[in-house]
Amino acid sequence: MDWSNFRFIDLFAGIGGIRLGFEAVGGHCVFSSEFDEDACKTYEANFHEHPAGDITKIDAKDIPDFDILLGGFPCQAFSIIGKKEGFSNETCGTLFFEIERILKEKRPSAFMLENVKNLKSHDNGNTYSIIKSHLQSLGYNVYESVLNSLDYGVPQKRERIFIVGFLSNVHFSFPKPVPLNERKTLVDVLETNVDAKYYVNSRIKNSRLERLKDKNYPRPYISHENMAGTITPHPYSSCLRAGASANYILINDERRPTEREMLRFQGFPESYKIVLPYGKVKKQCGNSVSVPVITAIAKEMQKSLQRYDNFGEEEFSPTDEMMFLFA
């Protein structure tokens, strides 16, 4: 197969961050599914299709054939901030089994799943152990790694677990971090001449500045308020959240990030359309993924699959790899 042109499905699609990453390497989406109607509105505005709704009500046989399954399955059940219910949370945790159901029926060549870092350690590792064993029992070779968005070119500290699987005995390595000189900084993503509506009132501003750990920290910086009430400045954004207070992340302790800035923290293109009010965009960005991380994984998956198809498992050698990489 020519892996420069492949089909994928976009489950738990959100606003399409995973889709953007796989389209960037030549993938074509043949089916999308998303439960949240606001996310569907944003998705439709940008991809000109309205995702199918509740995946639990969709027969796997009705999904078009595809090569790679993609899914950032709901993570509230496993989040450090959430209630940590895991598979006991019937509305979120068990949605993993919808992925399993579709993999079992459709048998795609590969999949990539995304979730919160805490999935790996949840319930002393038992939750992830169950997930991995279920995927392996379907015949998939499973790889997992926690990657930080900061290492892949965007100024946001966001650690997520990525689970990649192949139906064949494909050798796979997660992408290496981007060189420091190729990573975007706050100066690259922050807007100038920001509307007054994004600025906090003087009471909030003064309270933040009084508690600021380093009063001489160079601007621009982004600070967040930790559990103890300390304000810590950084040359990057802390992890965007769907449900945190509007004042959780502040730029120079003066204002909230704009909608466009939040999308930039996630590596979305400038052409991405904003069609909903601030609060909904904030939630959607907090629930989304960092596009450059997804693109980097997609490239490695594409390389690994093409390499396997070209050389197979046994015949492939390091010399072949060098020839393949520089072809």
Side-chain angles (χ1 to χ4, degrees):
M1 175 174 167
D2 178 7
W3 283 97
S4 64
N5 182 8
F6 60 90
R7 302 159 299 170
F8 66 83
I9 63 169
D10 192 14
L11 303 182
F12 312 105
I15 60 172
I18 292 178
R19 175 173 178 155
L20 286 171
F22 276 78
E23 282 185 339
V25 302
H28 300 280
C29 186
V30 296
F31 175 81
S32 59
S33 172
E34 171 55 48
F35 183 79
D36 182 84
E37 191 52 40
D38 284 333
C40 288
K41 288 175 184 173
T42 297
Y43 196 98
E44 185 170 18
N46 284 281
F47 300 105
H48 312 296
E49 68 181 69
H50 195 284
D54 187 351
I55 193 64
T56 66
K57 294 178 171 56
I58 295 168
D59 191 326
K61 290 186 175 66
D62 295 333
I63 297 174
D65 290 340
F66 59 93
D67 305 302
I68 302 178
L69 178 148
L70 306 174
F73 61 106
C75 62
Q76 291 90 334
F78 309 116
S79 173
I80 293 169
I81 297 168
K83 294 178 181 177
K84 305 182 187 177
E85 295 164 303
F87 286 123
S88 67
N89 183 324
E90 291 299 320
T91 59
C92 291
T94 52
L95 285 172
F96 163 74
F97 296 114
E98 298 302 315
I99 292 170
E100 181 185 31
R101 172 175 67 87
I102 295 167
L103 288 173
K104 189 173 184 179
E105 173 67 33
K106 305 297 287 189
R107 311 294 290 167
S109 297
F111 64 78
M112 191 219 70
L113 310 177
E114 178 264 359
N115 212 291
V116 290
K117 176 185 177 183
N118 194 49
L119 174 64
K120 192 80 182 286
S121 58
H122 181 268
D123 190 23
N124 296 316
N126 291 328
T127 299
Y128 182 66
S129 179
I130 292 169
I131 288 174
K132 188 169 184 176
S133 67
H134 277 253
L135 294 169
Q136 289 173 329
S137 70
L138 293 175
Y140 285 91
N141 259 340
V142 180
Y143 301 83
E144 72 281 323
S145 185
V146 173
L147 303 182
N148 188 339
S149 299
L150 271 180
D151 294 329
Y152 295 89
V154 292
Q156 181 197 178
K157 183 179 181 181
R158 186 181 193 87
E159 294 178 296
R160 290 293 185 266
I161 187 171
F162 296 92
I163 309 164
V164 172
F166 301 94
L167 203 49
S168 302
N169 193 22
V170 173
H171 300 293
F172 174 77
S173 297
F174 281 92
K176 291 181 171 62
V178 170
L180 289 172
N181 63 348
E182 295 177 21
R183 301 180 190 184
K184 289 188 176 179
T185 67
L186 290 182
V187 172
D188 297 319
V189 302
L190 295 181
E191 296 188 84
T192 54
N193 302 318
V194 173
D195 192 283
K197 68 183 181 182
Y198 296 100
Y199 283 79
V200 298
N201 62 45
S202 57
R203 179 182 58 80
I204 292 173
K205 177 182 174 181
N206 292 336
S207 170
R208 297 273 297 220
L209 289 173
E210 283 169 12
R211 291 176 288 143
L212 186 64
K213 249 184 166 182
D214 182 353
K215 302 272 196 293
N216 299 311
Y217 200 85
R219 294 185 172 211
Y221 67 81
I222 294 183
S223 70
H224 74 278
E225 185 172 359
N226 65 19
M227 297 291 283
T230 304
I231 309 300
T232 307
H234 294 288
Y236 52 78
S237 172
S238 55
C239 186
L240 297 186
R241 295 181 184 175
S245 158
N247 298 325
Y248 173 75
I249 291 173
L250 290 183
I251 296 159
N252 298 329
D253 286 308
E254 295 175 339
R255 67 173 180 87
R256 299 174 294 160
T258 67
E259 294 92 332
R260 182 59 64 193
E261 286 168 341
M262 288 187 286
L263 285 166
R264 288 173 182 168
F265 291 148
Q266 290 282 42
F268 277 69
E270 293 299 294
S271 58
Y272 195 85
K273 295 181 179 68
I274 298 166
V275 295
L276 294 178
Y278 186 88
K280 292 183 176 182
V281 175
K282 177 180 172 294
K283 177 185 176 183
Q284 290 175 356
C285 287
N287 277 333
S288 192
V289 295
S290 297
V291 178
V293 180
I294 303 298
T295 306
I297 294 171
K299 284 178 182 173
E300 292 303 318
M301 289 181 69
Q302 184 181 49
K303 257 196 294 193
S304 296
L305 285 160
Q306 193 66 65
R307 195 167 53 201
Y308 182 86
D309 280 2
N310 286 354
F311 300 107
E313 180 188 345
E314 297 301 329
E315 297 85 357
F316 185 66
S317 71
T319 307
D320 294 326
E321 180 173 22
M322 295 304 291
M323 291 172 63
F324 174 76
L325 289 175
F326 293 102

